[in-house]
Amino acid sequence: MTAPRPLGRLVNLSHVHDPVTTPLYPDDPEFRTDIVATIADDGYLLRYIQQGEHTGTHWGAPIHFRADGLAADELDLDDLLLPAVKIDLRHRCAGDRDYAITVEDLERWEAEHGRIPDGAAVIAWTGWDAKWGAPEFIGTGGSAGRQPGFAVPTVEWLLGSGRLGRRGALGIDTFGPDVGTDETYAVSKLLYGEHRISLECLANLAALPATGAWVLVGGPLYRGGSGGPATIFGILPG
């Protein structure tokens, strides 16, 4: 099953990058902006932006967890333009920060919407996009670092069934596709080992339909990059 090429209205699926409100993954480098030039003093405004490659809304390339994986500048442009499906799991994640998305969740979605297109960006809407900028996004006390994500058998099913195709992606509104309690990053390693990418800290997922849209990953392609901060566009059907 091959989806048609996109043509339609754009929606922004990225948070605004702001060092005051952007949550940082534990031990990631500081996000800061320094004024280099001002209109009053220099006739133009220029800032020096310092942030990690995986700060804010961003995407991950295979080399992020695979030394032999492709870097950001080595991927094809077609790897960054994908048909998208949105799996609304807010009701399951609301009371369970450790929720692992199951094959059954995806099968229920397919029973309602049809088969996930081959080579899709499978995007999980956990409700974390609404927590952006608040302590609940990272969690506090005993919940710190805990977030929902995909179960390993679910990703194996997506890969083995062809639903992630020859190229595809996992997307999510949390820090990444792994359940926060998995310190081995098993899902990320499995995904990147099969030449796929991840879309992370997505925003505005209410604007993305369950099916029929595409996603386009925009932003700088760093040479040797493990991904990078991104403006990710949803392209809605006309």
Side-chain angles (χ1 to χ4, degrees), residues 8-228:
R9 181 169 62 90
L10 292 179
V11 295
N12 178 25
L13 302 180
S14 295
H15 294 283
V16 174
H17 285 218
D18 172 13
V20 175
T21 60
T22 297
L24 293 181
Y25 192 76
D27 298 323
D28 269 12
E30 178 188 9
F31 178 16
R32 59 180 291 179
T33 62
D34 296 318
I35 300 295
V36 175
T38 66
I39 293 175
D41 294 336
D42 307 286
Y44 62 94
L45 174 65
L46 180 64
R47 301 189 303 167
Y48 177 34
I49 310 295
Q50 302 175 70
Q51 61 179 325
E53 288 181 318
H54 296 260
T55 295
T57 300
H58 63 279
W59 68 286
I63 200 174
H64 185 37
F65 275 102
R66 299 276 305 199
D68 59 348
L70 296 178
D73 60 308
E74 296 173 323
L75 292 166
D76 296 330
L77 290 181
D78 284 344
D79 290 314
L80 306 180
L81 176 63
L82 303 167
V85 301
K86 180 184 75 177
I87 318 294
D88 187 351
L89 295 159
R90 291 174 296 163
H91 62 297
R92 297 192 177 275
C93 299
D96 186 358
R97 292 187 68 99
D98 304 319
Y99 187 74
I101 301 162
T102 66
V103 174
E104 290 72 25
D105 289 325
L106 302 190
E107 290 177 334
R108 278 191 292 269
W109 184 94
E110 289 192 330
E112 181 177 356
H113 300 287
R115 190 182 187 278
I116 295 170
D118 292 349
V122 178
I123 296 173
W125 187 17
T126 71
W128 251 241
D129 54 346
K131 304 177 189 294
W132 190 257
E136 290 78 17
F137 190 88
I138 299 174
T140 58
S143 69
R146 289 165 50 196
Q147 63 176 28
F150 290 86
V152 169
T154 307
V155 181
E156 291 173 337
W157 180 79
L158 285 167
L159 290 166
S161 66
R163 285 166 172 80
L164 288 185
R166 192 169 58 85
R167 50 175 51 93
L170 293 180
I172 199 164
D173 50 1
T174 69
F175 278 123
D178 300 278
V179 175
T181 54
D182 180 10
E183 297 181 356
T184 70
Y185 304 102
V187 162
S188 290
K189 291 175 181 176
L190 177 61
L191 182 73
Y192 296 141
E194 295 294 333
H195 183 103
R196 307 311 196 281
I197 66 172
S198 61
L199 312 175
E200 306 176 13
C201 293
L202 294 174
N204 196 29
L205 289 179
L208 192 71
T211 188
W214 285 63
V215 290
L216 173 64
V217 181
L221 294 176
Y222 298 117
R223 190 173 303 283
S226 65

